[in-house]
Amino acid sequence: MSSQRLDNIRLQPSGRGNKLIPILLIWGVALSLLVTFVWYENGLGDAIKGFYLVPWIIFAGIAVLAPTAWLTYKGKFDPFHPLIFAAWSYVFPAFVIGGVIIAFDWVNPFFMSFIDDPKSQLPLSLVYVGVGFIGLTVGFALPIGRYIAEKCEPRLPKWDWEPNQVWIPGILLLFAGIGVNLVGFVQGIMGFQRLTEVGIFDASLYFLLTLLSEGTMLLWLAVFTTKEKRGIYYIVFALLLLMLPLRMALLGSRSSLLISIFPIAMAFQYSGRKLKWQYTAALGVILLLAVAIGVTYGTSFRNIKGSEARMDAGDYVGQIGATIDYLSNEDPEILVKNSAQALADRVENLSSLAVVVANYERLAPYEESYGLENNIINDTLTSFIPRFIWNDKPPTSDARAYSDLYFNYGENSFAISPFGDLVRNFGPIGVPLGMLLLGIYLRVIHAGLIDTPHPALWKKVAYFPLLTLVSYEAFYATIFPSIVRTVFILAVSLFLVNLIARQIRKSRAS
């Protein structure tokens, strides 16, 4: 009863502060528009090369942040609400802040030359982002998502786990995920490396990483909800903390440490604890540190390794040691400068989207030869047949082929984003409609697993991978096939967890 009461805690509107937020937002927008108009009328924009972008940046910023402002005003701010998470984890930094980075000419990627008319195509890209996010918000707000969740909820399992029943299954999930990581690492499909040929089990290995997400989330929830701090509590806590630097070191990714913080923050949020301003401020500081450390390490690791060519495990681990040695001896000023530039290059993805907006009609006749034509429909239809059954299944959403066609450089995976993928496949009308459909999906998982009258520990565990599988820098085509595969893995693995938890409960009762 007490755990259910904690699960049902909802933040209520409190005090005048929340009511002032939309007022301040409106005044801020009005002031921004006024400054923009005065600046433009007096020719003051010549000092900023990309000043023409400012009104469109403001439009996209309002569209992206409006749900956050509204939910905060209603006293329902949740950093892992689908609309807030989408805005702050990727869309706002990549396109709104990315627009500011371009306006001030802080980055100059080589592919800017592929944008024939930046003064029309960069603003148009921001319009697609704004309209797309409005479509996402409308899809989430429509009652159809809630209706589907309410129809499905009575058919969901009624598993009721206590924190002290999930230590063992959580550890088993965690080690199963680590094992998958190690197999993928040896195969050359995990970490900063890649194979030139797609293996028949590569996709299966990739989606089995869901086990690691499940185990991590389940154990952090147990850590934050348990009242009996025995020996296993401290062992699990130490293991989870140790996983943070080890995973960052092995993956060599700039964002791996940041992503590893998400399940900790989500478990804290959904453990029934009240979200105080001190916790929010602490989370903000931790996330900033995770970004800074991750970018510094990831950039240095990639520079030292040089390419994504596959290495023997021993040589790959040697790159980790070389990176740590470099970071220990390099001038801090140089590290800060290189990391800041790398962060700006990594955050800004408006220019990548603008390349697609500028060229998708001209390059459409060539997409078939690259295996990219109608990739959203084709990927959805073919994804239900595993590659180990259909050995010659074409990779319809091949990031390397996309990079080769649009950026004339197939040795890197450039961001496309759902906005770019939708406009490539269906034209401008596809952006709001496709994002609206995605918004309905997000409402279904949020209403069915989090905002539900019957909360349960397993639902919070399932929510994390189902939310984070939506990548706002990858193909839209991969989202719904990923949902099917992830749901299958969740169903099987959580069923096994329940068997173990039930057996532990029976043994203790007897």
Side-chain angles (χ1 to χ4, degrees):
M1 291 294 292
S2 61
S3 62
Q4 183 173 354
R5 180 179 58 82
L6 288 174
D7 283 334
N8 280 313
I9 288 178
R10 296 289 184 271
L11 296 178
Q12 299 295 327
S14 56
R16 188 178 174 186
N18 283 340
K19 297 181 180 180
L20 286 176
I21 290 176
I23 299 174
L24 293 174
L25 180 64
I26 293 172
W27 276 100
V29 171
L31 181 61
S32 299
L33 292 174
L34 177 62
V35 171
T36 300
F37 176 78
V38 173
W39 198 332
Y40 182 81
E41 286 296 308
N42 291 277
L44 302 178
D46 295 337
I48 301 178
K49 183 178 179 180
F51 179 74
Y52 64 91
L53 275 177
V54 172
W56 309 104
I57 293 171
I58 293 173
F59 164 74
I62 293 173
V64 172
L65 295 184
T68 300
W70 174 251
L71 289 167
T72 303
Y73 167 66
K74 298 295 289 184
K76 296 180 179 179
F77 177 83
D78 173 4
F80 298 100
H81 184 285
L83 297 179
I84 296 177
F85 186 75
W88 289 100
S89 67
Y90 188 80
V91 178
F92 184 79
F95 299 112
V96 180
I97 295 179
V100 174
I101 290 173
I102 291 178
F104 282 88
D105 200 25
W106 290 337
V107 299
N108 187 26
F110 75 90
F111 49 81
M112 285 291 287
S113 60
F114 300 157
I115 305 173
D116 298 330
D117 185 10
K119 290 193 175 182
S120 65
Q121 289 155 352
L122 284 169
L124 181 58
S125 300
L126 285 167
V127 169
Y128 286 147
V129 171
V131 170
F133 207 89
I134 291 172
L136 185 75
T137 305
V138 171
F140 189 90
L142 289 175
I144 183 171
R146 166 67 72 177
Y147 175 81
I148 295 172
E150 289 176 349
K151 289 298 181 181
C152 293
E153 205 278 335
R155 297 173 174 82
L156 294 176
K158 302 299 187 291
W159 298 331
D160 185 20
W161 306 336
E162 293 296 329
N164 58 10
Q165 298 167 359
V166 300
W167 294 119
I168 293 176
I171 291 172
L172 291 176
L173 281 177
L174 185 68
F175 278 100
I178 293 173
V180 171
N181 255 307
L182 293 176
V183 172
F185 172 69
V186 173
Q187 290 291 105
I189 61 174
M190 304 294 181
F192 185 59
Q193 55 183 347
R194 69 181 180 95
L195 293 176
T196 55
E197 296 183 1
V198 179
I200 59 175
F201 293 106
D202 287 356
S204 300
L205 281 174
Y206 179 79
F207 281 99
L208 282 172
L209 289 176
T210 302
L211 299 174
L212 183 62
S213 298
E214 289 179 80
T216 303
M217 187 67 183
L218 182 58
L219 290 175
W220 277 116
L221 279 167
V223 165
F224 288 127
T225 55
T226 188
K227 296 180 180 179
E228 301 177 3
K229 295 180 172 58
R230 299 176 179 176
I232 193 169
Y233 169 90
Y234 296 102
I235 293 173
V236 169
F237 187 70
L239 177 62
L240 290 172
L241 290 181
L242 182 63
M243 285 287 296
L244 298 177
L246 286 180
R247 193 177 183 200
M248 179 187 71
L250 192 63
L251 293 180
S253 170
R254 300 183 184 101
S255 60
S256 60
L257 186 58
L258 176 65
I259 294 173
S260 297
I261 298 296
F262 287 157
I264 305 175
M266 184 181 288
F268 183 88
Q269 168 75 3
Y270 295 147
S271 64
R273 298 168 183 262
K274 187 176 181 181
L275 189 63
K276 300 180 181 178
W277 70 266
Q278 297 96 325
Y279 297 150
T280 306
L283 175 61
V285 172
I286 291 171
L287 292 177
L288 288 176
L289 288 174
V291 170
I293 296 171
V295 168
T296 301
Y297 175 82
T299 301
S300 302
F301 180 88
R302 293 177 176 222
N303 290 338
I304 289 172
K305 189 172 183 295
S307 72
E308 288 184 281
R310 184 178 179 274
M311 281 184 167
D312 292 334
D315 294 334
Y316 189 96
V317 173
Q319 302 298 307
I320 298 175
T323 303
I324 295 174
D325 183 63
Y326 167 76
L327 294 174
S328 303
N329 297 301
E330 184 56 87
D331 184 350
E333 185 177 348
I334 295 177
L335 285 177
V336 171
K337 182 179 178 181
N338 292 341
S339 299
Q341 185 60 52
L343 180 60
D345 293 336
R346 179 65 180 86
V347 166
E348 188 278 305
N349 278 319
L350 177 61
S351 57
S352 300
L353 175 59
V355 170
V356 177
V357 172
N359 296 287
Y360 77 95
E361 292 178 308
R362 180 177 62 84
L363 295 177
Y366 306 98
E367 288 197 342
E368 183 178 4
S369 62
Y370 284 81
L372 297 171
E373 186 179 32
N374 297 322
N375 65 301
I376 291 179
I377 295 175
N378 292 336
D379 219 24
T380 301
L381 295 178
T382 62
S383 64
F384 299 102
I385 306 175
R387 190 172 294 278
F388 59 81
I389 296 177
W390 183 5
N391 293 343
D392 298 326
K393 185 172 73 170
T396 53
S397 294
D398 187 342
R400 304 291 174 170
Y402 158 76
S403 299
D404 192 18
L405 176 61
Y406 278 86
F407 297 87
N408 198 28
Y409 186 71
E411 297 302 313
N412 189 25
S413 296
F414 293 92
I416 177 171
S417 82
F419 311 108
D421 206 21
L422 286 165
V423 79
R424 276 183 50 250
N425 281 263
F426 307 114
I429 191 61
V431 176
L433 294 181
M435 296 303 288
L436 183 144
L437 184 62
L438 181 57
I440 293 174
Y441 160 74
L442 294 174
R443 181 63 181 274
V444 170
I445 63 169
H446 187 258
L449 301 175
I450 300 300
D451 188 18
T452 170
H454 304 289
L457 193 62
W458 75 265
K459 292 183 178 181
K460 299 166 188 175
V461 174
Y463 178 68
F464 178 71
L466 289 174
L467 174 68
T468 55
L469 67 80
V470 180
S471 173
Y472 294 95
E473 71 172 346
F475 290 95
Y476 183 92
T478 61
I479 294 175
F480 290 100
S482 298
I483 293 171
V484 175
R485 295 163 181 161
T486 302
V487 167
F488 175 77
I489 294 171
L490 285 170
V492 174
S493 58
L494 291 177
F495 175 78
L496 295 175
V497 169
N498 185 63
L499 289 180
I500 299 173
R502 187 171 61 183
Q503 188 62 39
I504 292 173
R505 181 168 60 246
K506 287 181 178 179
S507 63
R508 289 180 177 174
S510 61

